[in-house]
């Protein structure tokens, strides 16, 4: 006698209960570790390269054109520049660059704290998809929201925020099968709220915006939207096949619509100043 379709969709209760406490160390969570080491390596490289030339580099003044983003030169082939948007790799590769030690350490700590548990439960492929979607959303979102200034973008905050809101998606999918779901949401919202508050303050309270690059909080928000919507789509649902539910299709539609709009809008010109995420 065959099983009903609904029975096939559902896992056994003993296999689903408190899944979030059953972290798997094999296969190991290689993606988060690898991307963290990659971003740290690029920062050390640019710091060393900048230190070697700092003796011959003049100090910036308000009248001096912006020539670097912290330790990253603006002629780097990796950072996102709207005047070179035809070099498509820049929409993703800017994530490996950071403007300062504080900028780097915050991003790396958060992605390790929130990314490793997520990867140990859902696997490297799903977390990689969410992270890169957040990075891409960060550059596309910035190109849409910051059209009044020319933003040079560095930093992994788009991916980091995607990981943060992917935890919200994880709770939405598996709330009945995890412990401390509300506590997870509170921690994620506290981290995100503090960073967004600092980003908004830093952008509008900067004394000399032409010298001190502004934070592109549009990239934070775009990465968060990508992580929440795509997280619902790609993360494991331990209750049933979510694509049979309306929420799965709504989330997929939101992500695709926003991405398509940003890609089409990206042909519009922008103007001045720089930013980091």
């Amino acid at each position: 006698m065959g099983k009903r379709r609904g029975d096939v969709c559902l896992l056994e209760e003993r296999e689903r209960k408190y899944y979030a406490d059953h972290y798997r160390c094999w296969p190991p969570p290689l993606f988060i570790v690898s991307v963290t080491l990659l971003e740290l390596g690029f920062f050390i490289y640019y710091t060393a390269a900048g230190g070697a030339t700092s003796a011959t580099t003049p100090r910036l003044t308000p009248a001096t054109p912006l020539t670097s983003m912290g330790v990253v030169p603006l002629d780097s082939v990796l950072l996102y520049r709207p005047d070179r948007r035809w070099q498509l790799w820049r929409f993703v590769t800017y994530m490996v660059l950071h403007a300062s030690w504080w900028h780097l350490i915050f991003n790396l700590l958060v992605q390790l704290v929130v990314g490793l548990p997520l990867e140990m439960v859902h696997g490297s492929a799903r977390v990689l998809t969410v992270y890169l979607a957040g990075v891409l959303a960060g550059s596309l979102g910035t190109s849409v929201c910051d059209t009044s200034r020319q933003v040079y973008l560095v930093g992994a905050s788009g991916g980091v925020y995607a990981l943060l809101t992917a935890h919200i998606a994880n709770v939405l999918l598996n709330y009945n099968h995890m412990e401390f779901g509300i506590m997870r949401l509170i921690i994620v919202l506290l981290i995100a709220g503090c960073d967004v508050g600092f980003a908004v303050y830093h952008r509008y309270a900067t004394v000399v915006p032409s010298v001190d690059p502004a934070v592109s909080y549009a990239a934070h928000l775009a990465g968060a939207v990508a992580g929440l919507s795509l997280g619902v789509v790609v993360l494991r649902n331990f209750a049933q096949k979510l694509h049979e539910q309306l929420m799965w299709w709504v989330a997929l539609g939101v992500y695709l619509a926003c991405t398509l709009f940003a890609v089409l809008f990206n042909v519009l010109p922008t103007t001045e100043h720089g930013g980091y995420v």
Side-chain angles (χ1 to χ4, degrees):
M1 183 175 179
K3 293 183 178 180
R4 292 179 301 173
R5 188 178 181 184
D7 294 334
V8 176
C9 295
L10 296 176
L11 299 176
E12 292 293 335
E13 181 67 23
R14 64 178 178 273
E15 296 175 351
R16 294 188 278 121
K17 189 174 180 62
Y18 300 149
Y19 86 95
D21 297 322
H22 299 162
Y23 298 114
R24 298 174 300 165
C25 295
W26 190 265
L30 294 178
F31 169 69
I32 291 297
V33 173
S34 298
V35 76
T36 298
L37 293 176
L38 182 67
E39 291 161 4
L40 178 61
F42 270 99
F43 186 83
I44 293 174
Y45 167 77
Y46 276 107
T47 300
T53 59
S54 60
T56 60
T57 302
R59 181 177 179 83
L60 291 178
T61 67
T64 305
L66 187 65
T67 58
S68 68
M69 296 281 294
V71 300
V72 181
L74 290 186
D75 60 357
S76 170
V77 298
L78 299 177
L79 61 78
Y80 168 77
R81 291 182 57 157
D83 58 336
R84 299 180 184 177
R85 66 185 68 188
W86 54 272
Q87 296 174 333
L88 299 181
W89 66 84
R90 291 177 180 267
F91 284 89
V92 174
T93 57
Y94 76 92
M95 75 176 190
V96 301
L97 308 177
H98 288 81
S100 66
W101 276 109
W102 182 92
H103 184 210
L104 174 77
I105 290 172
F106 179 85
N107 278 346
L108 297 193
L109 284 178
V110 173
Q111 74 185 25
L112 285 171
V113 169
V114 303
L116 284 175
L118 206 63
E119 187 174 357
M120 293 172 73
V121 171
H122 295 276
S124 298
R126 290 181 173 89
V127 173
L128 181 150
T129 300
V130 169
Y131 189 87
L132 292 184
V135 170
L136 179 60
S139 54
L140 289 176
T142 298
S143 69
V144 171
C145 297
D146 280 322
T147 56
S148 62
R149 57 187 197 141
Q150 185 166 316
V151 173
Y152 305 118
L153 200 61
V154 297
S157 289
V160 170
Y161 267 71
L163 294 178
L164 282 168
T165 53
H167 273 276
I168 299 178
N170 185 31
V171 173
L172 290 176
L173 295 177
N174 301 295
Y175 180 79
N176 292 328
H177 310 290
M178 63 168 55
E179 290 185 302
F180 311 116
I182 294 298
M183 184 61 65
R184 296 167 194 259
L185 285 178
I186 292 174
I187 292 173
V188 167
L189 293 176
L190 282 176
I191 295 174
C194 291
D195 190 57
V196 168
F198 174 80
V200 173
Y201 171 81
H202 190 278
R203 172 167 175 171
Y204 292 108
T206 301
V207 177
V208 188
S210 62
V211 175
D212 188 9
V215 175
S216 177
Y217 66 83
H220 295 68
L221 297 179
V225 171
L228 180 59
S229 57
L230 200 61
V232 170
V233 174
V234 304
L235 294 183
R236 298 172 65 191
N237 179 12
F238 288 78
Q240 56 188 305
K241 292 183 178 179
L242 193 65
H243 65 261
E244 296 178 353
Q245 294 187 7
L246 178 62
M247 185 170 69
W248 191 94
W249 291 102
V250 170
L252 180 62
V254 168
Y255 175 76
L256 293 178
C258 292
T259 302
L260 179 61
F261 173 80
V263 170
L264 295 177
F265 191 89
N266 202 49
V267 298
L268 298 179
T270 55
T271 50
E272 297 185 276
H273 295 312
Y276 63 87
V277 296

